[in-house]
């Protein structure tokens, strides 16, 4: 061993200082961090199993319960992004062969179906066009036909800009002995959701959208019904990292002494705590109202520019992420690049089934201000002047 | 919807400011963050798919190649802790029914075996006492007997304090058409490892040990042989989040345009970049030497206190994490608490098979200094004076 030489030299690129640009993030997420969350990101480490850490984790649980409007004891943060929360839900709720009904009206349903397939569920996607939503009647027919154990719906369909109404779906599912799983990654804090009152069995969300925390942690909560299904599994979930029974222990949800499972992302958890504290400070209803009002302001400004919204029915528009039809004689990529390069503002194109069809504008948490809308409108006006394609 | 009321009140605990204690983290990890990593943690967000982010990711890949001493193109950071990297390795390398040989001489082999079981591999654990290591001969017998497709070994067995020698294992495995997977979470940067020269097919490590970055990202690299096995799979890995073919794309390892997969932990990635830059600045060999010298200093100070090392053979001692036999007439918990409460220093007890047997002391990256050893020795001396149990 002593005789070995280093054959791979130290890379020159890492001798230069890290230098990151200033960006106004008005895409569908991640969003910018407010000062208090930034400060938490710069804190020194403590141990993932220190008493003070458990206290912060307990506070986060309470913050999630508030944000989700739930009293579920089985409420915690997952050590990964929104996809990790989706997999945590599906790995624990589904066993191979279980029937899984999926609302697939955008990319997130496609992703849920993909994960369901991978773990051997019998997946029944209810495929609909991007921009559409699901009615109680449509879902009831599929529940009757496929007898699924789990239904997946996306509350804030950020690839299409649709806000899925949720009233009545919980009750409906329960009549058919099905659990209701809802993705609120893009909507939480920006549009009303009431986990307990709406009978949602599993709800998850991300840190990096309207909560304005860095990506890397996600929120998840399980109703008693969902918990019972998990604790009655015949097989262990494929993933140890995402095993809810083990996560329940480290998050102090099972009343037993906490044992080492994995090293949680301590600094990300500090930041998440601060983002939830900011939501508490503001109040959920005020936050919803602000997102709604700022979105209205955006719609007006877009209209002034002659741009059209992709979602026609105002009641179905997601306030946090707005989809705009790519105007005729423009390429979406030109507009996005122009706004980025001349104004340092991020907006994005479509994703999955909405690719090439739309521009997406996110007004998330602290970024949801009239000033930001006005800055973007100025940038878009200039982009529209410069990016028209005479040939198209 | 409009008529619904908030039933869950904003939690009072989140109205108080976040307040975290100052700790010297001399357990087996996580470790403290140096100023440059702290500064990165406090940076503002940019998009996970911005050009500048791809640049940082490319720099990280080069940093990992240097730290691992590999030229593997398939080298990237996983969006999760060390366990997530372990699962990423096993989910992608094993298919149901594959034979998997596991060095189980501490908790990490147990965990690898557990994950292997969950995904339906035929797991053959080579169970040995904590404190032991594996010889080429032992492993060869098991390779011949079980014909595994994959062997797992832990380089730095942080639950027992053992440094597993790695020379010859790669060649041996390849003679038996087996791939070699090595966990270097607790050893990377602190003890020599040469991925390519030692014929290691898959190597992973953590961010929060000798690299001194926050937990939440992990490093992983795959040899061409490992890559071929992954790309020739008959089944998709159970996890989408950890699917290496998809991760290879977002990390720019497959030469194709990068597509959205999940939102990477942007701030954690900034911090990881800085921690790798610090390793480059110092140089691997200097870092190894410093860890060795500081560990020697620790051994001397422990001896002065009458304490005994758990690993007798100096060549098998892990420089980053030292295991100390719990002295007769002491309870390990009393010593750990004393040092924490009177000195703000973390050390820990054993874990898994070493539970109740040892104290564990970590000297990781920037924490590996003679000054820290001396501070700890002072604290331990006082603890030993105060914690003796006459009854034991
Ligand atoms: C509605 C929705 N679900 C899930 C996700 C996936 O989250 P992540 O990218 O953090 O994995 C997103 C992210 O954009 C989202 O908007
Ligand atoms: C050798 C080794 N492997 C794996 C792990 C697991 O890493 P994590 O706790 O980040 O999941 C650790 C963490 O202590 C370790 O020391």
């Amino acid at each position: 061993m002593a005789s070995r030489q280093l054959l791979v030299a130290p890379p020159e690129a890492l001798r230069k200082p890290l230098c990151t640009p200033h960006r106004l993030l008005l895409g569908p997420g991640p969003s910018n961090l407010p000062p208090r969350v930034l400060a938490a990101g710069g804190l020194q480490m403590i141990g993932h199993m220190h008493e003070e850490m458990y206290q912060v984790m307990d506070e986060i649980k309470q913050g999630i319960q508030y944000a989700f409007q739930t009293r579920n004891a089985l409420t915690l943060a997952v050590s990964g992004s929104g996809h990790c929360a989706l997999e945590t839900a599906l790995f624990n709720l589904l066993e191979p062969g279980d029937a899984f009904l999926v609302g697939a009206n955008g990319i997130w349903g496609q992703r849920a179906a993909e994960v369901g397939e991978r773990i051997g569920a019998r997946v029944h996607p209810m495929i609909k066009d991007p921009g559409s939503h699901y009615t109680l009647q449509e879902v009831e027919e599929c529940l009757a036909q496929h007898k699924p154990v789990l239904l997946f719906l996306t509350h804030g369909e950020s690839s299409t800009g649709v806000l899925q109404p949720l009233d009545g779906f919980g009750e409906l599912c329960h009549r058919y002995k099905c659990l209701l799983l809802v993705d609120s990654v893009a909507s939480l804090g920006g549009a009303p959701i009431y986990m307990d009152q709406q009978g949602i069995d599993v709800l998850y969300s991300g840190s990096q959208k309207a909560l304005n925390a860095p990506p890397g942690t996600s929120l998840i909560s399980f109703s008693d019904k969902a918990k019972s299904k998990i604790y009655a599994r015949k097989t262990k979930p494929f993933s140890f990292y995402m095993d809810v029974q083990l996560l329940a222990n480290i998050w102090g949800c099972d009343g037993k002494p906490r044992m080492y499972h994995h090293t949680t992302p301590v600094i990300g958890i500090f930041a998440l705590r601060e983002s939830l504290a900011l939501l508490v400070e503001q109040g959920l209803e005020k936050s919803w109202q602000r997102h709604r009002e700022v979105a209205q302001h955006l719609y007006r400004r877009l209209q002034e520019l002659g741009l059209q919204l992709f979602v026609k029915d105002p009641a179905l528009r997601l306030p946090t992420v707005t989809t705009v039809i790519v105007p005729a004689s423009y390429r979406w990529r030109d507009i996005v690049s122009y706004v980025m390069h001349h104004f340092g503002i991020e907006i994005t194109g479509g994703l999955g089934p909405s690719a090439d069809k739309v521009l997406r504008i996110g007004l998330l948490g602290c970024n949801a201000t009239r000033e930001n809308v006005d800055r973007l409108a100025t940038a878009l006006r200039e982009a529209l002047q410069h990016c028209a394609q005479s040939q198209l």
Side-chain angles (χ1 to χ4, degrees), chain A residues 185-198:
Chain A
V185 171
S187 56
L188 188 78
I193 196 163
Y194 306 85
M195 183 172 191
D196 288 357
Q197 295 178 67
Q198 291 175 322

Side-chain angles (χ1 to χ4, degrees), chain A residues 48 241 260-264:
Chain A
H48 57 296
Y241 188 63
Y260 167 69
H261 172 253
H262 73 282
T263 309
T264 50

Side-chain angles (χ1 to χ4, degrees), chain A residues 26-28 158-161 321-326 331-337 346-362:
Chain A
L26 301 186
S158 59
S159 70
T160 63
V321 180
T322 297
T323 41
V324 181
I325 296 172
V326 180
R331 292 187 293 224
W332 68 266
R333 217 181 268 281
D334 296 339
I335 299 174
V336 165
S337 304
E346 169 179 72
I347 62 168
T348 73
L351 181 64
S354 70
D356 298 325
K357 293 189 169 58
V358 298
L359 295 168
R360 294 186 298 155
I361 299 168

Side-chain angles (χ1 to χ4, degrees), chain A residues 219-350:
Chain A
L219 328 176
I220 197 162
S221 179
F222 299 87
S223 71
D224 285 343
K225 280 199 187 66
K227 183 179 165 182
S228 299
K229 177 149 177 31
I230 292 172
Y231 282 73
R233 289 179 65 92
K234 292 188 203 75
T235 58
K236 279 190 187 181
F238 293 121
S239 174
F240 174 89
Y241 188 63
M242 302 183 200
D243 185 323
V244 166
Q245 297 191 44
L246 304 174
L247 295 174
N249 174 264
I250 62 169
W251 280 87
C253 305
D254 65 0
K256 298 187 189 143
R258 305 193 203 206
M259 312 260 290
Y260 167 69
H261 172 253
H262 73 282
T263 309
T264 50
V266 170
I267 305 296
I269 286 176
F270 288 165
L272 180 61
R273 191 267 184 206
E274 290 301 81
S275 70
L276 287 165
L278 286 168
L279 183 63
V280 164
E281 190 171 87
Q282 173 166 204
L284 262 179
E285 287 167 318
K286 283 233 178 85
S287 179
W288 296 335
Q289 189 186 343
R290 189 168 46 80
H291 281 87
R292 195 169 49 239
E293 285 172 5
V294 172
Q296 305 277 354
H297 184 56
L298 173 68
Y299 306 156
R300 281 192 299 272
R301 299 303 312 258
L302 292 173
Q303 226 166 4
E304 286 167 21
L305 295 172
L307 294 169
Q308 289 191 333
L309 298 185
F310 182 65
V311 180
K312 298 301 167 213
D313 181 349
L316 295 176
R317 286 183 196 147
L318 177 59
T320 45
V321 180
T322 297
T323 41
V324 181
I325 296 172
V326 180
S329 76
Y330 286 90
R331 292 187 293 224
W332 68 266
R333 217 181 268 281
D334 296 339
I335 299 174
V336 165
S337 304
Y338 192 94
V339 167
M340 170 66 89
H341 292 122
H342 292 78
F343 293 85
I345 299 177
E346 169 179 72
I347 62 168
T348 73

Side-chain angles (χ1 to χ4, degrees), chain A residues 28-29 81-84 108 154 156-159 183-187 204 206 208-209 215 218 351:
Chain A
S81 82
H83 278 89
C84 189
W108 309 113
T154 309
E157 222 305 333
S158 59
S159 70
D183 173 331
S184 70
V185 171
S187 56
Y204 67 89
Q208 77 272 18
K209 309 275 180 172
S218 306
L351 181 64

Side-chain angles (χ1 to χ4, degrees), chain A residues 11 16 35 55-56 71 75 81 105 117 137 141 146 148 155 158 160 196 269 274 299 325-326 335 354 386:
Chain A
K16 297 195 190 123
Q55 161 110 34
V56 170
R71 297 213 162 83
T75 297
S81 82
N105 57 341
E117 296 283 359
Q137 197 189 325
E141 281 165 22
H146 300 299
H155 184 221
S158 59
T160 63
D196 288 357
I269 286 176
E274 290 301 81
Y299 306 156
I325 296 172
V326 180
I335 299 174
S354 70
H386 285 80

Side-chain angles (χ1 to χ4, degrees), chain A residues 38-116:
Chain A
L38 278 172
L43 288 175
Q44 182 54 269
M45 281 290 295
I46 66 171
H48 57 296
M49 298 180 73
H50 291 182
E51 278 310 314
E52 296 84 355
M53 195 64 206
Y54 291 150
Q55 161 110 34
V56 170
M57 291 162 82
D58 289 344
E59 290 167 4
I60 284 177
K61 285 197 294 181
Q62 291 181 47
I64 300 173
Q65 287 168 334
Y66 173 65
F68 283 8
Q69 285 294 297
T70 181
R71 297 213 162 83
N72 292 333
L74 188 46
T75 297
L76 53 88
V78 167
S79 302
S81 82
H83 278 89
C84 189
L86 167 65
E87 289 203 338
T88 301
L90 298 184
F91 280 18
N92 286 280
L93 286 164
L94 294 175
E95 295 195 72
D98 276 350
F100 177 32
L101 184 63
V102 178
N105 57 341
I107 195 173
W108 309 113
Q110 292 180 348
R111 293 275 163 109
E114 156 104 41
V115 174

